[in-house]
Amino acid sequence: MDKIIVFKPTKIFNIGERKFLYSIEDSRLFEIDDKLEQILALSGHSVEELFNIFAKEKILKLRKQRIYYK
């Protein structure tokens, strides 16, 4: 059985073009990107499910690039 990923409580907010994550338990602030925000939104999924989601996205991106370069 694959383990389920559960993240600690956080708050995400924007300042201008930049995104920040505030860790409620640790009172720490981190700058994040879109990919990390997407991963955090998938809390409750298994490691395998996360891998499959991102693998499919990567394959689609590569296919689009191949179409543009033909």
Side-chain angles (χ1 to χ4, degrees):
M1 183 173 180
D2 208 8
K3 293 187 178 186
I4 302 297
I5 296 175
V6 179
F7 297 104
K8 293 181 179 181
T10 59
K11 297 285 184 186
I12 296 176
F13 59 94
N14 298 325
I15 297 178
E17 299 287 320
R18 299 166 67 186
K19 290 184 184 182
F20 294 91
L21 176 139
Y22 176 72
S23 173
I24 296 170
E25 288 184 8
D26 302 335
S27 298
R28 300 178 91 186
L29 187 65
F30 303 93
E31 186 171 0
I32 64 170
D33 61 5
D34 292 336
K35 185 62 75 178
L36 183 55
E37 184 178 20
Q38 184 181 7
I39 291 169
L40 292 168
L42 295 171
S43 182
H45 287 79
S46 70
V47 173
E48 184 177 347
E49 289 173 319
L50 263 67
F51 177 79
N52 289 336
I53 289 167
F54 288 109
K56 286 177 187 175
E57 285 181 11
K58 186 68 172 179
I59 290 168
L60 291 174
K61 185 177 179 182
L62 291 172
R63 284 183 183 164
K64 286 180 183 178
Q65 287 176 348
R66 283 184 34 201
I67 291 170
Y68 293 134
Y69 291 119
K70 281 189 175 182

